[in-house]
Amino acid sequence: MGSLFVFFWCLSGYDRKAQKELQHQTKASLIADEGKRLIPARKPQAIIVARRPDSGGKEGTVITLLANHFLVKFDPTQKIYHYNVEITPHPSKDVAREIKQKLVNNNSAVILGALPAYDGRKNLYSSVEFQNDKLEFYISLPIPTSKLKSCGEMYDLKEKHEQLKLFRINIKLVSKIDGKELSNYLSKEGDDWIPLPQDYLHALDVVLRESPTEKCIPLGRSFYSNSMGRSKDIGGGAVGLRGFFQSLRPTQQGLALNVDFSVTAFHESIGVIQYLQKRLEFLRDLSQRKTTQLTCEERKEVEKALKNIRVFVCHRETVQRYRVHGLTEEATENLWFADRDGKNLKLVTYFKDHYNYDIQFRKLPCLQISRSKPCYLPMELCVICEGQKFLGKLSDDQTAKILKMGCQRPGERKTIIEGVVRGPVGPTSGNQEKEFKLQVSREMTKLTGRILQPPKLKLGDGGHVRNLTPSRHDRQWNLLDGHVLEGTKIERWALLSFGGTPEQKSNIPRFINQLSQRCEQLGIFLNKNTVISPQFESIQVLNNVTLLESKLKKIQRTASNNIQLIICIMERKHKGYGDLKRIAETSVGVVTQCCLYPNLCKSSSQFLANLALKINAKVGGCTVALYNSLPSQLPRLFHIDKPAIFMGADVTHPHPLDDSSPSVAAVVGSMNWPTANKYISRIRSQTHRQEIIQDLGAMVGELLDDFYQEVEKLPNRIIFFRDGVSETQFYKVLQEELQSIKCACSRFPGYKPLITFAVVQKRHHTRLFPFETDQSSTQNHSMYENIPPGTVVDSVITHPKEFDFYLCSHWGVKGTSRPTHYHVLWDENQFTSDELQKLVYNLCYTFVRCTKPISLVPPAYYAHLAAYRGRLYLERSESLGLFKSTSTISRAAPPKTPPLPKLSENIKKLMFYC
């Protein structure tokens, strides 16, 4: 939901309208920065987010589409009364909703029969004004009346029924708002520079979420319900649950409700013992080891699996739910507690005497369900509550099952989405639509897109160049009768095997021969003889970092410290993969290519070709380039003697349960012009969950230095693609990161390249479906039901004023294609819609790892891969204790960020990360 934000910053920035005037201004005076570099004198300028430069693109074949946006008409004169809600004592969101519902039911006269919408926190929205601006209510609910003070008090709850808990609710009128400003903003006649009225939009969003929230499990912006299909066991104590996403968005057609199908993993609601048996491999036989205590490592794993999960007890009737804060240090059989009279009781004896229950798993620890006081629950008497999002990291198998659940072909997904909008738990299932005078369309938005033509590509052909235009429906091309554009010569390489059966190992000579032949067919030279005979190691070597490093260094020494590549073959996926990459790329200084024995033994032509392309790219070659160079395709913007650089940036964050590990930022930049298909990277660790790239200035500066060394000129234009930014952070990222880029440029006296800054989004919920007018269009339905590669949409469902578009550059083989959303925040290069769309689409054909267009622009993809590599370095270093961890208890500030290990000099300028 973009809106106009104006910022002031220290370096020159300008919008489209002000550009000519600013170009004639005198150059910023230069001041010395401690004699190290020159920076412009600080002068505040306004940053204005880029506006759409025209009415949209014109190139391409027109295609009629449907989008999962549902038009929402509202009455601009309808007032909404915004009330602030204070509830004492402070309840959970679920309890707050129960309180609100009871309040509405019991006090209809006071609130004049209104059916208000509530966000579960402090905001209540009503279509009518209540009797008074300030109201106070008292509501009682059957919830335990006080916090637990001891085990004794908790256990004594069996002696009495749950008591009613009293809540005081204070409601105060905050504001009266109407939809006139929002209507003006959305109208084409409206002022181009007025900000988006967030208050009315937020109110309507809460209104349309009211009914689904009451009927489903809310999770972020999504809702999950068994009414959309039974949950599915995905193993490991988790189940997949179907649901839907919804979000209200301002678009060119007006307000639209974006609704999409969604699947996520929840904890299975089963007994804790049974859950642990499913979740942890070493506890599969837990029922057979009642007499065995957990080891220290096992206890840590159990605590990690159960921490923060809510449970209820099954030995007595209660509505109370408890959150697991940890495990007891002692086994259950050794635990004592003080009852209400201060008398010490043994836990197992207490349960026998009071509940006639013999605790079976006496050697296991109990659940600790208070943060600070000793309150214990035996595991076997606890059941995991329903509706809790799975907190752990999903295994590969679990992830595959979740993906399969959410993998519907376009026709099926479209039917599900339409069913949600019209169905019993969706946004139109309650009375809110009528209450607030809304009209939500039950039909998807019909619109026209365009299919861009694929570019002509340049490939190799025995030292010559040949051209090829992808003509298949999926725009894929093959190299059966052609070579890569730039094949490398790999004279000195080695092969290292980890594990594998004798039969698998016996396939190595055949594999080397087949790979060498496949490389030769692709125009890549791979010596059939390794510098040393293949080395066979146990898979256990990957568990020993010191030993692994010595093995790799020994190979390097044997090759006279001049080895180009090590191919590593593993019997299975192994966590030591991260150590292997880190050691090879930072300590030894060699590129590695890993593969698995099961794939190697098949040795299909496709597998060998994919391997060859990756190897070629990593050691300095390239697969393909655009036959018509960018200067010839976009002559208004690009010139042979005025180079441009394409940059991509991404930040990866640690797992949601990790509250201390650093985030990892990566920036890549193209190093050849005008081919622009080789990218080198810079990777940094930074503050935990910090989205702004903290060291961006230095990283961009280094890439500009490298570009100058390669091209012998600095780029006249910087096209910067930023991945991983949510809409709420657009303007903060623009403000700070654009400044960092300009600061990097200011290191070079008088250097002021034209910068375009675009955000790339894959994690959105807009889907496009082919629109079929009659039965004749369905004759090739099975093949063409996904939208074709090159489909671009820049009208109707895009931003009312800002410069954005959706581009589906790839062919969706499985499920429903997700177009990539490009949102230009800053554009000094003054791209037209056609120019930028053509540029992005053509670049998608130049990715080094495959022979088809990819789903997002390569600089953004490479930045993602580089950031992932940095995360790999970090995770393994932390797990091995190479970085000192900081305790997370009562931490006032994020821990100091450990730097990533430095890349070896001979690796830095290679695409080792791809």
Side-chain angles (χ1 to χ4, degrees), residues 399-450:
T399 301
K401 287 175 179 175
I402 283 287
L403 290 175
K404 189 175 179 181
M405 282 182 73
C407 187
Q408 280 77 27
R409 295 302 287 172
E412 187 183 350
R413 194 182 197 97
K414 177 174 170 288
T415 302
I416 293 171
I417 293 169
E418 289 171 334
V420 166
V421 174
R422 301 165 187 164
V425 298
T428 64
S429 60
N431 299 314
Q432 288 73 29
E433 199 176 356
K434 181 181 177 183
E435 179 83 359
F436 289 85
K437 295 184 183 176
L438 300 176
Q439 294 177 41
V440 182
S441 173
R442 270 54 169 180
E443 303 296 330
M444 286 193 177
T445 297
K446 184 181 175 184
L447 59 118
T448 57
R450 292 169 290 113

Side-chain angles (χ1 to χ4, degrees), residues 856-897:
L856 77 164
V857 69
Y861 200 143
Y862 292 138
H864 175 76
L865 292 175
Y868 174 74
R869 180 56 52 87
R871 166 71 49 212
L872 207 58
Y873 292 170
L874 205 58
E875 285 178 349
R876 289 303 295 158
S877 298
E878 286 180 332
S879 67
L880 294 163
L882 300 182
F883 296 151
K884 288 183 180 179
S885 61
T886 305
S887 172
T888 62
I889 298 171
S890 303
R891 194 178 63 233
K896 189 175 179 181
T897 304

Side-chain angles (χ1 to χ4, degrees), residues 85 87-89 91-105 118 138-141 143 167-169:
V85 180
I87 303 177
T88 311
S92 68
K93 259 188 159 185
D94 291 342
V95 172
R97 290 198 164 277
E98 286 184 52
I99 292 169
K100 173 257 176 183
Q101 198 55 54
K102 192 169 182 181
L103 185 152
V104 170
N105 294 341
Y118 179 47
Y138 287 88
I139 300 288
S140 54
L141 289 176
I143 294 172
F167 294 91
R168 185 178 70 188
I169 302 97

Side-chain angles (χ1 to χ4, degrees), residues 524-685:
I524 305 162
F525 176 77
L526 179 70
N527 195 333
K528 289 189 177 181
N529 300 308
T530 54
V531 288
I532 55 171
S533 59
Q535 304 291 294
F536 295 95
E537 303 292 345
S538 161
I539 191 79
Q540 298 305 318
V541 170
L542 290 170
N543 291 324
N544 187 325
V545 177
T546 308
L547 186 57
L548 179 60
E549 185 166 355
S550 70
K551 298 285 184 187
L552 291 171
K553 284 185 172 177
K554 182 182 176 184
I555 293 173
Q556 177 75 301
R557 283 196 306 273
T558 308
S560 306
N561 293 322
N562 183 26
I563 194 167
Q564 294 168 273
L565 170 75
I566 300 177
I567 293 180
C568 302
I569 306 169
M570 303 177 186
E571 70 174 44
R572 55 182 165 79
K573 288 184 179 181
H574 194 282
K575 60 186 178 183
Y577 169 84
D579 294 323
L580 175 66
K581 291 293 183 183
R582 178 178 51 80
I583 293 165
E585 292 157 7
T586 65
S587 179
V588 181
V590 63
V591 168
T592 56
Q593 177 59 54
C594 297
C595 56
L596 299 174
Y597 266 116
N599 296 329
L600 176 145
C601 294
K602 297 173 192 172
S603 287
S604 68
S605 177
Q606 188 63 58
F607 167 71
L608 293 169
N610 291 344
L611 208 57
L613 292 182
K614 288 187 74 173
I615 289 169
N616 187 54
K618 286 181 179 182
V619 295
C622 72
T623 305
V624 67
L626 299 173
Y627 188 82
N628 299 310
S629 67
L630 293 174
S632 65
Q633 290 192 46
L634 300 169
R636 190 183 72 80
L637 291 163
F638 299 122
H639 303 276
I640 291 287
D641 58 346
K642 293 181 179 178
I645 187 172
F646 298 99
M647 290 186 173
D650 192 16
V651 179
T652 69
H653 301 295
H655 187 269
L657 286 183
D658 185 331
D659 67 348
S660 62
S661 295
S663 293
V664 176
V667 183
V668 302
S670 58
M671 290 292 128
N672 52 344
W673 178 259
T675 314
N677 63 355
K678 291 184 181 179
Y679 291 77
I680 67 172
S681 65
R682 290 294 181 271
I683 314 171
R684 301 277 201 280
S685 59

Side-chain angles (χ1 to χ4, degrees), residues 2 11 49 53 92 112 136 149 202 416 463 474 481 490 506 561 678 743 765 768 785 830 845 863-864 867:
L11 299 170
V49 174
S92 68
L112 304 181
E136 186 174 79
K149 294 176 182 174
H202 178 69
I416 293 171
D474 59 3
D481 53 351
I490 305 167
S506 68
N561 293 322
K678 291 184 181 179
C743 282
H765 288 270
L768 300 170
E785 59 181 337
Q830 298 189 57
Y845 281 81
H864 175 76

Side-chain angles (χ1 to χ4, degrees), residues 308-311 321-325 368-370 388:
N308 290 317
I309 291 179
R310 295 192 309 277
V311 297
R321 302 291 181 259
Y322 306 99
R323 185 177 297 277
V324 179
H325 290 285
Q368 171 66 30
I369 49 91
S370 170
Q388 297 180 83

